[in-house]
């Protein structure tokens, strides 16, 4: 036709060409990929024609193979993070073997077991005629380690070889090709957030206990710490609740101390509320620093499953002043001494008790006009009603006492008519009746 067409450099060949002089003045086959009728331009592609030829050739080549065939003398051409590329039958076609198909053992890179230029045997595991790709495998040529997984039992201990140390755990090999994961949380009872890379090195032999076998996903979970005696259980057996033990402060935060207990490598939790019965917890916490030793601490909680032990200093060295209230019940009247005044109420101590209680402003009197903390001064004695007693908390109220006394007086001297039994209470009614009769 004599029509000139334009062929972009990217469409000249399926492979990049630095020099195209060998194509000059030669007849080639090209495919029209774009037509601009308005401008009279045609865009063509030699690459598209090559792709069609390659596709037809590959289709013919792939028809010779089937899934399960073994390919001999495949040369490793290139290695990537996700797998390796091989040249089959002297360049008949190339194929990819994915990282997961290289070995039953855990590997992070193909170059751990492969070398570029060397020949390997491959097994076809997938043929995709649409994408013109053949998937191959090396590990499929060897028996699956999970075929004889019945030799291993959950709950039993085995020696395993460390094959890989990662941030989240260790991959160990129970036997050739059979890997299992030991998570970082399963390495030690005592050391939390342990770094697996510092715990063991590659090719170290450690004892593990199988905790799970998933035959569907072909995964095994193991634990190293379970092969050792649980120090928390041992501690609990030797020191049951209520036992006394010594300790040394190893760390502290804004609300508690962490104490190493006795000869054990176990830390106990000492909350600031458990330091003293009477003194303010925050102030008392500032008294103790790292390295301080306690001669007596009482075990008040031991949670083996969550690895938590709570201790108390105040229960080990002093009597609980709250036992004062064991002699009283709700509704009893206590005589208290005012210790300090606040805009929101008053602080009082029952006579014979070391604990201070706060009475809110609303509980100071029945009448709102009398609910003024300023009515009292430090040292005043006042009667209060023990309105509520719950565990380690009591509620004292002057208002409740007034209401109780008023109710008792009304029951004894009057009725709900409020004052009708008093002299002249009915005088107004008699005057009204007399005026009506007139």
């Amino acid at each position: 036709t004599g029509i000139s067409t334009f062929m972009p450099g990217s469409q000249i060949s399926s492979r990049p060409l630095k020099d195209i002089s060998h194509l000059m003045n030669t007849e080639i086959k090209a495919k029209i990929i774009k037509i601009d009728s308005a401008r009279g331009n045609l865009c063509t592609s030699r690459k598209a024609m090559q792709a069609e030829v390659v596709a037809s050739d590959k289709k013919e080549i792939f028809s010779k193979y089937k899934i399960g065939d073994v390919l001999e003398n495949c040369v490793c051409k290139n290695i990537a993070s996700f797998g390796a590329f091989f040249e089959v039958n002297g360049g008949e076609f190339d194929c990819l073997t994915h990282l997961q198909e290289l070995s039953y053992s855990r590997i992070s890179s193909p170059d751990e077991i492969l070398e570029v230029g060397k020949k390997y045997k491959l097994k076809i595991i997938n043929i995709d005629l649409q994408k013109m790709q053949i998937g191959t495998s090396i590990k499929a040529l060897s028996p699956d380690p999970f075929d004889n997984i019945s030799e291993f039992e959950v709950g039993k201990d085995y020696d395993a070889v460390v094959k890989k140390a990662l941030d989240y755990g260790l991959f160990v090999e129970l036997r050739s090709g059979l890997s299992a994961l030991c998570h970082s949380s399963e390495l030690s009872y005592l050391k939390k957030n342990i770094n697996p890379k510092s715990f063991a090195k590659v090719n170290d032999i450690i004892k593990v206990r199988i905790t799970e076998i998933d035959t569907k996903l072909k995964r095994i979970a193991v634990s190293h710490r379970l092969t050792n005696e649980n120090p928390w259980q041992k501690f609990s057996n030797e020191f049951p609740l209520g036992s006394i033990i010594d300790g040394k402060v190893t760390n502290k935060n804004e609300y508690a101390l962490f104490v190493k207990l006795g000869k054990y490598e176990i830390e106990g939790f000492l909350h600031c509320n458990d330091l003293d019965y009477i003194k303010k917890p925050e102030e008392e916490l500032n008294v103790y620093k790292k390295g301080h030793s306690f001669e007596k601490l009482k075990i008040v909680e031991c949670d083996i499953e969550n690895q938590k032990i709570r201790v108390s200093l105040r229960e080990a060295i002093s009597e609980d002043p709250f036992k004062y209230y064991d002699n009283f019940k709700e509704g009893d009247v206590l005589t208290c001494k005012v210790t300090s005044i606040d805009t929101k109420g008053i602080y009082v101590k029952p006579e014979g008790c070391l604990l201070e209680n706060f009475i809110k402003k609303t509980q100071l009197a029945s009448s709102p006009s009398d609910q003024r903390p300023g009515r009292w001064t430090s040292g005043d004695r006042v009667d209060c009603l023990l309105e509520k007693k719950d565990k380690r908390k009591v509620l004292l109220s002057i208002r409740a006492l007034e209401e109780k006394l008023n109710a008792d007086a009304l029951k004894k001297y009057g009725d709900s008519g409020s004052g009708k039994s008093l002299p002249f209470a009915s005088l107004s009614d008699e005057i009204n009746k007399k005026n009506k009769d007139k």
Side-chain angles (χ1 to χ4, degrees):
T1 61
I3 300 174
S4 296
T5 68
F6 174 69
M7 185 179 293
S10 62
Q11 297 298 320
I12 295 175
S13 176
S14 56
R15 294 182 179 181
L17 295 177
K18 293 182 179 179
D19 184 18
I20 61 170
S21 58
H22 66 284
L23 296 176
M24 300 300 292
N25 300 315
T26 59
E27 186 176 292
I28 61 172
K29 284 188 177 181
K31 203 170 189 179
I32 298 173
I33 58 174
K34 188 177 180 182
I35 299 176
D36 189 342
S37 302
R39 298 182 180 179
N41 291 336
L42 289 178
C43 188
T44 55
S45 171
R46 177 172 174 262
K47 178 181 177 181
M49 285 300 299
Q50 288 180 335
E52 281 190 0
V53 173
V54 171
S56 61
D57 291 345
K58 274 192 175 182
K59 209 172 242 186
E60 186 178 344
I61 293 170
F62 287 1
S63 63
K64 301 176 185 177
Y65 300 95
K66 63 182 182 297
I67 294 175
D69 287 350
V70 177
L71 305 174
E72 302 281 350
N73 299 322
C74 301
V75 180
C76 181
K77 290 180 62 178
N78 191 23
I79 290 176
S81 60
F82 53 85
F85 293 93
F86 293 89
E87 184 183 85
V88 182
N89 292 339
E92 189 177 34
F93 66 90
D94 291 346
C95 64
L96 168 68
T97 302
H98 198 271
L99 179 67
Q100 295 178 347
E101 292 298 330
L102 293 176
S103 173
Y104 284 110
S105 300
R106 292 270 179 174
I107 58 173
S108 55
S109 177
D111 56 14
E112 293 180 18
I113 59 174
L114 299 178
E115 189 177 331
V116 175
K118 279 195 172 184
K119 294 181 179 180
Y120 298 89
K121 190 185 289 187
L122 306 175
K123 186 175 183 178
I124 297 176
I125 58 173
N126 180 45
I127 298 177
D128 191 336
L129 294 177
Q130 289 186 345
K131 295 182 178 180
M132 291 299 164
Q133 294 176 351
I134 287 183
T136 55
S137 172
I138 292 179
K139 77 175 186 180
L141 293 168
S142 56
D144 189 344
F146 259 82
D147 291 343
N148 298 319
I149 195 63
S150 57
E151 297 177 9
F152 298 92
E153 296 181 27
V154 174
K156 282 195 173 183
D157 297 345
Y158 301 91
D159 288 330
V161 181
V162 177
K163 287 297 180 181
K164 190 183 296 184
L166 301 174
D167 292 336
Y168 56 87
L170 298 174
F171 280 101
V172 298
E173 200 171 62
L174 298 170
R175 69 177 178 204
S176 182
L178 187 61
S179 297
L181 172 64
C182 183
H183 195 269
S184 57
S185 61
E186 294 296 330
L187 293 175
S188 173
Y189 278 110
L190 300 174
K191 296 179 181 178
K192 295 181 179 180
N193 302 320
I194 189 171
N195 184 1
K197 295 178 180 178
S198 62
F199 183 83
K201 297 178 181 178
V202 175
N203 295 326
D204 284 354
I205 298 176
I206 63 172
K207 190 173 286 293
V208 296
R209 179 174 297 176
I210 296 178
T211 57
E212 182 185 1
I213 297 177
D214 191 330
T215 53
K216 289 184 179 179
L217 298 176
K218 294 187 177 182
R219 290 178 181 173
I220 302 176
V222 296
S223 171
H224 173 68
R225 69 172 185 168
L226 293 179
T227 61
N228 303 312
E229 184 181 14
N230 188 341
W232 302 89
Q233 184 65 60
K234 184 180 179 182
F235 180 88
S236 178
N237 294 338
E238 293 189 15
F239 293 92
L241 293 181
S243 301
I244 302 297
I245 190 173
D246 61 292
K248 187 175 183 180
V249 178
T250 56
N251 206 350
K252 68 181 291 187
N253 57 25
E254 64 274 11
Y255 56 87
L257 299 172
F258 296 92
V259 185
K260 180 181 176 294
L261 301 175
K263 61 181 180 180
Y264 290 86
E265 294 297 324
I266 291 178
E267 283 188 345
F269 180 78
L270 178 55
H271 197 273
C272 60
N273 290 336
D274 290 317
L275 292 172
D276 196 276
Y277 283 112
I278 301 171
K279 297 177 182 177
K280 291 184 178 181
E282 294 79 9
E283 295 178 359
E284 192 67 11
L285 184 65
N286 293 330
V287 175
Y288 303 100
K289 296 180 180 180
K290 189 175 179 179
H292 184 90
S293 296
F294 295 103
E295 293 183 1
K296 291 183 178 181
L297 294 170
K298 186 177 180 180
I299 311 295
V300 294
E301 182 184 351
C302 188
D303 188 341
I304 299 173
E305 184 177 349
N306 295 314
Q307 299 181 359
K308 180 182 177 182
I309 295 176
R310 190 168 65 87
V311 295
S312 173
L313 174 64
R314 66 182 187 179
E315 291 186 36
I317 63 175
S318 59
E319 177 102 18
D320 187 357
F322 196 81
K323 290 183 178 179
Y324 169 86
Y325 293 102
D326 292 346
N327 302 319
F328 301 94
K329 62 182 184 299
E330 292 181 2
D332 287 351
V333 179
L334 303 179
T335 300
C336 304
K337 185 177 180 180
V338 178
T339 56
S340 61
I341 312 298
D342 192 279
T343 56
K344 296 181 180 179
I346 62 174
Y347 289 90
V348 298
K349 274 186 183 180
E351 290 186 343
C353 181
L354 298 175
L355 293 176
E356 194 174 55
N357 281 277
F358 181 71
I359 302 178
K360 293 181 181 180
K361 186 177 180 179
T362 56
Q363 298 298 319
L364 293 179
S366 300
S367 173
S369 59
D370 293 331
Q371 294 174 353
R372 304 186 312 276
R375 292 173 55 199
W376 289 272
T377 58
S378 296
D380 287 351
R381 296 173 76 247
V382 59
D383 289 337
C384 306
L385 183 75
L386 179 55
E387 192 172 17
K388 189 176 181 181
K389 183 173 70 169
D390 181 22
K391 293 181 180 179
R392 298 194 59 80
K393 185 178 180 180
V394 295
L395 180 62
L396 300 178
S397 174
I398 301 173
R399 173 182 176 176
L401 179 60
E402 287 184 4
E403 291 174 350
K404 183 177 182 297
L405 294 175
N406 289 340
D408 291 344
L410 186 63
K411 185 177 180 181
K412 186 174 181 180
Y413 301 108
D415 54 29
S416 58
S418 182
K420 287 198 175 182
S421 61
L422 299 177
F424 310 109
S426 59
L427 182 60
S428 60
D429 293 338
E430 292 178 2
I431 293 173
N432 290 334
K433 185 179 179 182
K434 186 175 182 181
N435 290 335
K436 188 177 180 183
D437 291 341
K438 286 183 179 181

